[in-house]
Amino acid sequence: MAENTRRSSTRNAKSKTKEKSARQLSFDWAALTSSPKNTLVAGMVLLVISVLLEVAFLSYLFTGAADQSEVGALGTAPLRDVGAATRNVLGVFGAFVSQVFVYRWFGLAALLVPVVPFLAGWRMVFGADLVNLSRTTKEVIFFTLWVSIFLGYIVLISGSSASLSFLPGGFGFYVNELLSNLIGYGSIVIILVFLFCFAVYFYNLNPVERWQQSQDKRLARQQDQDYVDDPEDSTEESPSSHTQETTPTVSVLDQTYDDPVETEEVIDSEEPETEVDVEPVLEAKLELELDEAPPVAIPQEEDPDPDELSEEILRNFGQYDPTLDLPSFQYPSLDILNDVDDSAQQKVSHDELESNKERIVDTLASYGINISKIKATIGPTVTLYEIIPEAGVRISKIQNLEKDIALSLAALGIRIIAPMPGRGTIGIEVPNKNRETVFIRSVLNSDRFQKSNYDLPVVLGKTVSNEIYVADLARMPHLLMAGATGQGKSVGLNVILASLIYKKHPAQLKFVLVDPKKVELTLFNKLERHYLAKLPNSDEAIITDTKKVIHTLNSLCIEMDNRYDLLKEATARNLKEYNAKFVQRKLNPENGHHFLPYIVLVIDELADLMMTAGKEVETPIARLAQLARAVGIHLVLATQRPSVKVITGLIKANFPARLSFRVTSSIDSRTILDSGGAEQLVGQGDMLLAINSEIVRLQCPYIDTREIEDVCEFIGSQRGYGEAYALPEYEGEDGDGSRGDVNTEDFDQLLPDAARLVITHQQGSTSLIQRKMKLGYNRAGRIMDQLEILGVVGPFTGSKARDVMFHDLESLEQHLNSVGV
C-alpha cells in the first residue's frame, strides 16, 4: 500500500513538472500585451515604422522609375548588388515597400497610410490622442481608396497611363478600367457620388437643411430692414406732402386755448385736411407700438435650448467615457491567481452520507420522533440534511435535540434550521469530514460573477448547495462584518476588494482604507494612483493614525454633502441617475459637474477606533451610514468583538446586511446577526450572511497574500493618475483628535494609577477613585477631569457614571505613552 502511494506521488510530481515546463515554454501573450513596458516599446516601434514608410513613399516619387528594375531583380541578383544600385533613401527596403504600396496598390494616396500607425504609436507611448484615432482611421481608409480611384480616372482620360501610372496605383487604375468598360466617361459621376455619400454620413452634412436655414435668416434680415425703413418713409412723406395742412392744425391747437369760438370755425372750414393729417399720425404710432416685439425675440434665438444643445454635443462627440482617463488600463488577468484543480479535492463519500442519515434518524427515533422523508445537499463545508417529520411532531422538540444530534454524529458545529424558509422542511447542517477549499479564481471565473450587471458586485463564496453567491454592495448598501481572530475575517475583506478590482475601472471606483492594525491592508498601497482616495497632502493612502481616521471620516461627510448639492442641481435622485445624465452630456462641467466614482470605505478593526476615539468616530460613521447610500458612498466595517459598545445601536440600525464568521459566544452572534448560530460555525471561512431578513450559510473563498501582491503589482506597474483621488479638505476644531498638545506637567502623579483602576473596573466614577485610592473628594474629582482631557473617560453625564473609552490595559498603556503620561 505504501509502495503504491509513493508511485502515485511520483507520477503526480512528474506530471506537475511537465505542466510547469510546458507553461514556461508557452508564450504568455496576456502578459505581453498588458505590460506597460511592452506597450511603450510597441508604440515606439509603430512611430518609427510610420516615419520610415512616409520617407520611403516620398522618395519613391522621385526614384521609383529607376528602382523598378532593381526591385524586379530581387531573388535573382545578389542583395549587395541590388542595394548598391537602388536610389531610394531607405535602400532596398524602401524601394520594395514603395513598389507594393505606391505602384501596385494605392499610388499617391499611399502617403496617407502611415498616418494610422503613427497615431496608434503616439497613443501607446504618450497615453493620449493627437486626434481621434478611430475617426481618423476611417477617414484614411476611405480617402486612400477614393483618391486612388479619382487619380485613376484623371490618368485614364488624359491618355498618359504609361508615364503617370504611379499616381493612381494598380488599385485605382484597374477600378477605373472596370468602370470605363461599364459606363465610359460617366464613371466620374459614381466617383463623386461616393464622396458625397461619405461626407453626408460621416460628417453629418445636410445641405438642404443649411440652405433652408440660410433662407430663413435672409428673410428675417429682410423683415428687419423693412421694419427699419417703414417708419422713416412715413416720417419723410408726412412733412413733404402735407406741409400746408400740418401748419393750420398746429395753429388751431394753439388757438383752442385762446378763443373757443374761433377754433370751432377754423375746424369746420378745414375739416377734410384735419382728418387726413390725424389718421396717418395715429397709424404710425400704432405700427411703432406693434413692431417693438421683434427686437425682443432676437436674443431668444441666440440662447439655445439646453436639451437640444446636449443632443447636438452627443451627436458630435458621443457619450462621455470616464475610462478614457486611463485608456491603456488593463484589468488583472485571472492567470495571476493560483490555478488549483478542484477534482483533486476530497469529496463527501456516499458512506459518510448514509452514516449521518442513519444516526440522525436513530437519534430522533429514540426520542419518539419519526421521520417521513430525509434528503441531503452536499456543500463545500457542510452537508444540509432536510427532514420532514410525521404529523403531530412539534418543531421545538427537534430544536431541543441539537446537542444530542451533535453527540451522535461526533461533530462540532451542528446547526438546526427549523423551519427552512419557503420549503416546509427542517434543516440540519452537519460539517463535512473532508472540507472543500473554495479558491478565489474559481468563483471569479464563474459566469454568475463575470456576467453580473451589479453596480458593485462582490463574490462572497459558495452556499450549502454549492452555488456561487454574488451580492451587490450598492444595494446592501453597507456591510458589517464580525469574527473572532483567525476565523477568516481579513481574508473576507481581501476577497471583497479583489472582486471589485476585477470588475470596476479605476475611474468608476475608489477605496478609502482604514487599518488601525497597520499590517492587514498595507498590501494595497501599490493601488494608490489607481483605486485609492485620501486626504490632500497626506503621506500614506492607507490610514492608520486615529486622528487621521477622524479627519478622513469627516472629510467623507463633506464629500457626501457636496455630492448631494450636485445631485440637487442635476435633479437626480441617486448617483446612478446623475452619472447617466453626465454620460449623456446633459450636465455642463463648467458648472462644477463631473463624473462621480463610487467610494467604498473599508475599516478593518472598528473596535480599536471606538475604544480610542469613541463618539468622534461613531458620529460620522452613523451619518455616512444613514445618508451616503444615494451618493455612492458605501461602508464595509469589520471587528473582532461585536459587542454593544463597538456596534452601537446607532450604527447597527443602518447596516441591514451583516456577515459573521465564527464568534466566541451566542451573545456576540445575537449582537451581529440578531440570532444565534455564528458561535457554532466551524471556522476557516465558514460564515453566516444576514440580508433581507434571511440568513445564508456561505464558505468564503480563499485568497492568499501572494495573490494579493501579484494583483496589486500588476495594477501598480501600469500608468495611473498623477496622485490618489483627493477627498475634500477638513480642518478639525481646536484640539480635535489631538492630545499631544496637552500640558501633562500639571497632572496629578496618581493619574496613571487612577486610569488603570478605571479601566480594570470599567467604571468611570469619582467615588471609585476616592474609595479605592483613599483620596479626598476634591483630588479625586480633579483626577477624573484630567482623565476626561486625556480621553480615558467620557464627559460628565450627571448622576450616571462616565463612559469608559478603553476596554483593556494594553490599549490604555499605548495611549498614555503617546501623550507622555
Side-chain angles (χ1 to χ4, degrees):
M1 182 66 179
E3 183 65 24
N4 292 335
T5 304
R6 284 195 296 272
R7 291 178 180 177
S8 176
S9 62
T10 302
R11 286 195 299 269
N12 291 337
K14 290 181 178 180
S15 62
K16 290 181 179 179
T17 303
K18 292 180 180 179
E19 292 177 359
K20 184 177 180 180
S21 61
R23 287 196 299 267
Q24 291 175 349
L25 292 175
S26 63
F27 200 78
D28 193 353
W29 284 104
L32 177 64
T33 57
S34 60
S35 172
K37 296 179 181 178
N38 295 339
T39 302
L40 177 62
V41 171
M44 185 58 66
V45 169
L46 285 177
L47 287 176
V48 172
I49 290 176
S50 61
V51 173
L52 292 178
L53 287 176
E54 195 70 36
V55 171
F57 296 166
L58 289 172
S59 178
Y60 179 84
L61 299 180
F62 305 97
T63 63
D67 289 340
Q68 283 190 6
S69 59
E70 305 302 333
V71 174
L74 282 175
T76 59
L79 181 61
R80 179 181 301 176
D81 297 340
V82 174
T86 302
R87 299 184 181 180
N88 193 288
V89 175
L90 297 183
V92 176
F93 168 78
F96 177 77
V97 173
S98 301
Q99 180 80 4
V100 174
F101 278 89
V102 181
Y103 182 76
R104 297 182 184 177
W105 289 354
F106 309 119
L108 196 62
L111 294 173
L112 298 174
V113 173
V115 173
V116 174
F118 181 83
L119 294 177
W122 186 279
R123 171 192 279 187
M124 297 172 71
V125 172
F126 299 102
D129 287 336
L130 281 175
V131 292
N132 190 299
L133 178 59
S134 176
R135 184 181 182 88
T136 306
T137 302
K138 297 174 184 177
E139 290 176 322
V140 167
I141 292 174
F142 174 80
F143 283 109
T144 299
L145 301 177
W146 188 87
V147 170
S148 176
I149 296 173
F150 180 75
L151 291 177
Y153 177 81
I154 299 298
V155 172
L156 190 65
I157 64 173
S158 66
S160 303
S161 58
S163 59
L164 300 177
S165 59
F166 71 94
L167 292 178
F171 173 76
F173 183 80
Y174 290 120
V175 169
N176 275 278
E177 191 176 33
L178 176 63
L179 292 176
S180 178
N181 293 331
L182 289 177
I183 57 176
Y185 292 106
S187 57
I188 186 61
V189 177
I190 296 184
I191 296 174
L192 295 178
V193 166
F194 272 110
L195 177 63
F196 175 79
C197 295
F198 178 81
V200 168
Y201 286 101
F202 193 79
Y203 297 109
N204 197 23
L205 299 181
N206 193 340
V208 177
E209 181 180 354
R210 293 190 177 183
W211 179 80
Q212 291 178 347
Q213 292 177 354
S214 64
Q215 291 294 104
D216 293 341
K217 291 181 180 179
R218 188 184 62 80
L219 182 60
R221 287 196 299 267
Q222 183 64 35
Q223 290 177 351
D224 294 341
Q225 186 66 32
D226 294 342
Y227 156 71
V228 173
D229 294 341
D230 286 346
E232 294 180 357
D233 294 341
S234 60
T235 306
E236 293 176 358
E237 180 183 359
S238 179
S240 61
S241 57
H242 302 286
T243 303
Q244 300 299 325
E245 291 86 348
T246 305
T247 304
T249 304
V250 175
S251 62
V252 168
L253 293 176
D254 292 339
Q255 293 175 9
T256 302
Y257 298 96
D258 298 333
D259 189 358
V261 178
E262 294 180 1
T263 302
E264 290 179 359
E265 293 177 355
V266 173
I267 292 176
D268 291 338
S269 62
E270 299 182 5
E271 185 175 356
E273 289 82 2
T274 303
E275 293 178 359
V276 174
D277 289 337
V278 172
E279 288 180 359
V281 172
L282 292 177
E283 288 178 358
K285 290 184 179 180
L286 182 61
E287 290 177 359
L288 184 61
E289 293 176 358
L290 294 177
D291 288 343
E292 286 180 356
V296 180
I298 294 175
Q300 294 180 357
E301 295 178 359
E302 296 177 358
D303 189 12
D305 185 20
D307 293 336
E308 295 180 358
L309 182 60
S310 64
E311 292 178 0
E312 182 179 355
I313 297 175
L314 185 63
R315 286 195 303 269
N316 295 336
F317 299 97
Q319 293 185 350
Y320 173 77
D321 186 2
T323 62
L324 292 180
D325 293 342
L326 294 179
S328 60
F329 176 79
Q330 297 288 332
Y331 287 92
S333 171
L334 291 176
D335 296 335
I336 298 176
L337 306 175
N338 293 335
D339 187 10
V340 181
D341 187 7
D342 292 337
S343 62
Q345 300 194 59
Q346 295 182 350
K347 305 293 184 180
V348 178
S349 63
H350 181 74
D351 295 338
E352 181 181 349
L353 289 176
E354 292 297 329
S355 175
N356 289 339
K357 283 183 181 180
E358 292 177 0
R359 292 180 182 180
I360 292 174
V361 172
D362 293 343
T363 302
L364 294 177
S366 63
Y367 290 94
I369 300 174
N370 296 322
I371 303 301
S372 61
K373 185 178 180 181
I374 182 171
K375 68 174 183 178
T377 303
I378 302 175
T381 305
V382 298
T383 299
L384 174 64
Y385 296 89
E386 293 185 69
I387 63 175
I388 300 178
E390 291 185 348
V393 178
R394 301 181 63 181
I395 294 178
S396 59
K397 191 174 182 180
I398 298 178
Q399 286 179 313
N400 294 332
L401 297 177
E402 185 175 20
K403 294 183 179 179
D404 298 282
I405 297 174
L407 178 64
S408 66
L409 295 173
L412 296 175
I414 299 296
R415 180 169 170 263
I416 295 180
I417 309 171
M420 292 285 292
R423 295 192 183 183
T425 60
I426 297 175
I428 302 176
E429 294 176 347
V430 180
N432 300 329
K433 293 182 179 179
N434 299 316
R435 295 182 55 179
E436 176 187 350
T437 302
V438 179
F439 292 96
I440 185 69
R441 177 168 178 170
S442 61
V443 292
L444 293 183
N445 196 31
S446 63
D447 290 341
R448 179 164 294 187
F449 178 76
Q450 293 291 336
K451 297 180 180 179
S452 65
N453 56 356
Y454 293 152
D455 295 325
L456 293 175
V458 290
V459 57
L460 297 179
K462 283 188 177 181
T463 64
V464 175
S465 57
N466 260 322
E467 295 180 356
I468 296 175
Y469 192 94
V470 180
D472 188 2
L473 182 60
R475 295 182 182 179
M476 285 185 176
H478 312 293
L479 180 62
L480 191 60
M481 300 175 62
T485 303
Q487 302 304 316
K489 176 169 53 63
S490 296
V491 174
L493 282 178
N494 290 339
V495 169
I496 291 175
L497 293 174
S499 301
L500 295 173
I501 290 172
Y502 267 89
K503 202 68 175 177
K504 307 301 289 185
H505 191 275
Q508 302 168 335
L509 175 65
K510 301 297 176 183
F511 295 117
V512 177
L513 302 182
V514 177
D515 184 14
K517 292 188 290 187
K518 303 180 181 180
V519 295
E520 294 295 342
L521 300 177
T522 53
L523 296 175
F524 296 92
N525 254 326
K526 297 179 180 178
L527 305 181
E528 178 176 348
R529 295 184 301 111
H530 294 84
Y531 284 101
L532 299 189
K534 66 177 184 180
L535 291 172
N537 302 323
S538 179
D539 296 333
E540 297 181 357
I542 310 296
I543 307 161
T544 57
D545 182 69
T546 303
K547 179 180 178 180
K548 291 184 178 179
V549 172
I550 297 172
H551 288 184
T552 301
L553 293 176
N554 286 281
S555 176
L556 279 174
C557 292
I558 298 175
E559 173 77 10
M560 176 185 68
D561 295 335
N562 293 340
R563 290 189 171 200
Y564 268 114
D565 292 338
L566 291 176
L567 263 64
K568 179 182 177 181
E569 294 177 5
T571 63
R573 295 178 300 173
N574 52 54
L575 180 83
K576 196 170 184 179
E577 292 183 5
Y578 177 88
N579 282 340
K581 286 189 174 182
F582 191 84
V583 167
Q584 294 294 329
R585 301 188 184 274
K586 296 181 179 179
L587 303 177
N588 191 349
E590 295 181 357
N591 296 333
H593 293 289
H594 58 279
F595 186 86
L596 299 178
Y598 286 96
I599 297 179
V600 178
L601 168 65
V602 178
I603 300 179
D604 184 42
E605 187 47 69
L606 180 63
D608 183 77
L609 296 178
M610 295 296 291
M611 286 188 299
T612 56
K615 294 292 183 181
E616 293 175 306
V617 170
E618 180 186 4
T619 301
I621 287 179
R623 190 162 182 262
L624 289 171
Q626 290 170 347
L627 302 174
R629 171 185 182 178
V631 293
I633 301 177
H634 304 276
L635 281 62
V636 178
L637 309 183
T639 179
Q640 292 181 357
R641 186 186 179 191
S643 64
V644 293
K645 291 185 178 180
V646 176
I647 305 176
T648 63
L650 191 60
I651 294 177
K652 185 177 178 181
N654 295 286
F655 283 79
R658 303 168 201 160
L659 192 153
S660 177
F661 295 87
R662 185 179 182 182
V663 294
T664 56
S665 66
S666 60
I667 297 177
D668 290 344
S669 176
R670 294 184 183 278
T671 301
I672 183 69
L673 298 177
D674 291 333
S675 67
E679 76 281 1
Q680 297 174 337
L681 299 175
V682 296
Q684 296 181 352
D686 190 19
M687 60 186 183
L688 294 176
L689 174 66
I691 186 171
N692 298 329
S693 302
E694 181 182 357
I695 296 181
V696 183
R697 190 167 187 172
L698 301 170
Q699 174 60 43
C700 180
Y702 177 71
I703 181 171
D704 62 20
T705 303
R706 187 201 63 80
E707 292 176 293
I708 291 293
E709 288 178 346
D710 291 346
V711 171
C712 295
E713 179 66 28
F714 177 83
I715 296 176
S717 63
Q718 300 184 50
R719 174 178 174 267
Y721 297 98
E723 56 185 1
Y725 184 86
L727 297 175
E729 193 82 36
Y730 173 75
E731 297 179 0
E733 299 177 358
D734 293 338
D736 184 21
S738 176
R739 306 293 181 184
D741 298 333
V742 177
N743 186 8
T744 59
E745 295 179 357
D746 298 331
F747 283 1
D748 197 290
Q749 296 180 352
L750 296 178
L751 180 66
D753 295 332
R756 298 183 186 98
L757 178 67
V758 169
I759 299 304
T760 302
H761 289 80
Q762 288 293 298
Q763 182 180 355
S765 67
T766 304
S767 60
L768 175 67
I769 298 176
Q770 181 184 8
R771 185 174 66 255
K772 292 292 184 181
M773 302 186 70
K774 298 180 181 179
L775 302 175
Y777 182 82
N778 293 333
R779 186 177 182 184
R782 286 195 302 270
I783 292 176
M784 183 58 66
D785 293 337
Q786 293 167 4
L787 290 177
E788 178 186 353
I789 295 174
L790 289 179
V792 177
V793 297
F796 178 74
T797 56
S799 59
K800 296 182 180 180
R802 297 172 183 251
D803 293 332
V804 180
M805 311 310 294
F806 294 85
H807 300 280
D808 59 275
L809 293 175
E810 182 179 359
S811 301
L812 174 66
E813 295 296 338
Q814 293 179 356
H815 181 65
L816 294 179
N817 291 334
S818 65
V819 296
V821 177

